[in-house]
Amino acid sequence: MKGKCASKEEKTRLCLPFSIAAAAVVCILAALRAQGFLQYPGDINLDRQIDVSDGVMIARFCSGDSSAYVTEEGLANADADLNGEISTDDITCVLRMIVGYVPKPRNPYETAAVPRPDTTAPEESKKTGDLSTVTAAQQTEAEQTDSVTENSMTEIIADGKAYPLGVSISVLTGSVKPAETLTVPYRKGNVIFSVFSDVPEQTVAAFAFDDIIFGYYLLCRTYTAPAGYTVKEFCDKMQDDRLYAVLVQREGMDIRFTALADCDDLQVLSKLAFYAANGIRAQHGLPGYRWDPELAKAARLHSADMAVNNFCEHESSDGTAFGDRLDRCGIGWQSCAENIDYGYLDPFSAVNGWYNSAAGHRDNLLSQKYVRTGIAFAYHPDADYLFYGTQDFCRLWND
């Protein structure tokens, strides 16, 4: 069961100019390596081999080429000679590797078994007695050693465009700059979300685990998905069940809240809901909302309040009204509104629930009264519905 009510450090893509001081670069590389990436020094473009294209990309990066977009894992690998700096010496090192003057490092992808995100929790809510979160320790040995590298290259077709699956996410980000790249640490790797919204009504969010694309959220009217991938369709029930988006993921992979329930992780997934909402607005010919960190903070506090105190209302557990909560957060609103929900297990389903609601949620989502929005989800293991969401909207006096 799912419900909703209506009423009146994120990590980003790194593209650093070579002029950064060496000491700063050393700190950055140390921090990235501490995150647990599979290291393959020299493989900056993350195609799992070391060749001339890596030397070219390092050269572009060192020259300050603004179009040389490098992922966090790619940045860690750019230090080919492992001296703690990224410089032209790394270009030379890569070239020496190619011609055999120095040995290439061991390719970790040839032997590494990459664990996958947990997908064992079913879709129903805890109150029905059906939802149970399964920990990593409860997964079988086969599940824990399953690898996304088994996936051969394939693609999904959406509105006539092809989107690759089972390949490095740098295939996308190396040629087109994403609007935002978000990272969630997961076990021994990272789940990476790259959002492309240059054409908002065709917003695309690509999902990768340790750099390999395992799924997409695509705003589209038609699609074809390959075998071995699950598809969740999102339709506009107010317009003859017209398809407007799909969530496509490799079987055995999942971005549901049950797999990524840490507070920081939920903040990342909240941004995905933001891009989905703006994409829907674009499909209706409306400008996108502006993301407001203070509104997101207010939404996060209310979602946490609902989760901890096991309720779903617009008034806080202490009786504070919605507008007063915004005042407490220092938000000088001229007009405001709020959507809340419970029981949804991924950010796109939550937005879809608001979009298909006749109780005011859709009006808020598609309103032209407001300029800003903030979205947040919260989790508590003892709450009836486990996950609670809030989307706040407002127009400030100076907007």
Side-chain angles (χ1 to χ4, degrees):
M1 177 178 178
K2 304 170 182 70
K4 45 201 177 285
C5 303
S7 169
K8 291 291 174 198
E9 167 179 9
E10 141 193 334
K11 298 170 187 173
T12 59
R13 176 164 310 284
L14 297 172
C15 183
L16 306 177
F18 183 56
S19 58
I20 290 179
V25 175
V26 171
C27 293
I28 291 170
L29 293 174
L32 290 174
R33 287 169 181 157
Q35 291 177 13
F37 289 127
L38 290 176
Q39 280 188 253
Y40 193 23
D43 181 26
I44 186 174
N45 63 7
L46 302 178
D47 61 358
R48 302 194 172 185
Q49 57 186 345
I50 297 173
D51 54 26
V52 173
S53 63
D54 294 296
V56 172
M57 181 61 79
I58 294 174
R60 292 174 60 196
F61 179 84
C62 289
S63 68
D65 183 348
S66 61
S67 64
Y69 304 112
V70 183
T71 67
E72 292 177 339
E73 187 172 2
L75 185 62
N77 287 340
D79 180 21
D81 59 10
L82 298 176
N83 70 348
E85 300 178 8
I86 300 174
S87 69
T88 54
D89 290 341
D90 296 300
I91 304 171
T92 302
C93 183
V94 167
L95 295 177
R96 290 170 65 85
M97 289 179 186
I98 294 171
V99 299
Y101 285 171
V102 296
K104 292 182 181 180
R106 181 184 65 83
N107 188 335
Y109 298 103
E110 292 178 351
T111 58
V114 183
R116 68 189 186 190
D118 185 1
T119 62
T120 53
E123 196 67 34
E124 295 304 314
S125 70
K126 183 179 176 183
K127 194 168 187 178
T128 65
D130 294 329
L131 194 150
S132 57
T133 302
V134 179
T135 65
Q138 293 171 305
Q139 289 184 298
T140 65
E141 184 67 22
E143 286 176 324
Q144 292 181 6
T145 58
D146 188 23
S147 172
V148 297
T149 60
E150 297 170 1
N151 219 25
S152 59
M153 182 175 178
T154 185
E155 60 190 19
I156 178 173
I157 308 298
D159 289 344
K161 296 181 180 179
Y163 298 91
L165 294 156
V167 298
S168 169
I169 199 167
S170 63
V171 170
L172 300 177
T173 59
S175 57
V176 180
K177 182 179 181 180
E180 190 162 9
T181 295
L182 306 158
T183 303
V184 175
Y186 187 85
R187 297 189 190 171
K188 296 181 180 179
N190 294 279
V191 179
I192 300 171
F193 302 95
S194 286
V195 182
F196 303 86
S197 59
D198 287 348
V199 182
E201 62 270 26
Q202 297 176 350
T203 291
V204 173
F207 319 145
F209 183 56
D210 271 2
D211 180 57
I212 300 303
I213 298 172
F214 68 85
Y216 290 93
Y217 174 78
L218 299 156
L219 285 173
C220 62
R221 301 295 176 87
T222 63
Y223 73 93
T224 302
Y229 286 80
T230 62
V231 179
K232 185 172 186 177
E233 296 183 347
F234 297 104
C235 299
D236 184 352
K237 299 185 184 301
M238 309 295 181
Q239 294 188 2
D240 301 320
D241 265 349
R242 174 183 58 82
L243 179 75
Y244 73 87
V246 291
L247 175 61
V248 183
Q249 299 175 100
R250 181 191 164 190
E251 292 178 356
M253 308 293 289
D254 211 322
I255 64 160
R256 286 184 295 180
F257 296 153
T258 45
L260 305 169
D262 180 85
C263 180
D264 290 338
D265 302 345
L266 292 178
Q267 290 184 55
V268 168
L269 297 178
S270 298
K271 289 301 290 289
L272 297 181
F274 163 72
Y275 286 107
N278 273 353
I280 290 172
R281 287 178 61 83
Q283 290 185 339
H284 287 264
L286 299 171
Y289 281 124
R290 188 184 313 164
W291 179 263
D292 189 298
E294 295 306 312
L295 273 180
K297 177 181 177 181
R300 185 166 64 252
L301 291 173
H302 189 56
S303 292
D305 185 21
M306 292 191 294
V308 170
N309 293 292
N310 197 23
F311 74 102
C312 188
E313 300 290 345
H314 291 284
E315 286 190 354
S316 302
S317 58
D318 64 1
T320 302
F322 159 57
D324 292 336
R325 286 202 313 273
L326 297 190
D327 290 338
R328 285 182 178 180
C329 290
I331 300 170
W333 54 273
Q334 178 184 6
S335 58
C336 60
E338 179 176 81
N339 289 343
I340 57 177
D341 68 40
Y342 58 84
Y344 290 103
L345 297 183
D346 70 75
F348 307 114
S349 293
V351 172
N352 183 66
W354 288 326
Y355 183 43
N356 282 297
S357 169
H361 305 82
R362 185 185 181 95
D363 291 341
N364 290 338
L365 197 64
L366 300 179
S367 176
Q368 298 189 61
K369 296 179 184 177
Y370 315 113
V371 175
R372 303 164 182 265
T373 193
I375 306 174
F377 300 95
Y379 161 78
H380 196 279
D382 297 326
D384 286 345
Y385 299 104
L386 295 181
F387 298 97
Y388 295 76
T390 303
Q391 181 174 21
D392 287 335
F393 310 83
C394 82
R395 176 186 291 271
L396 301 183
W397 288 101
N398 59 355
D399 283 333

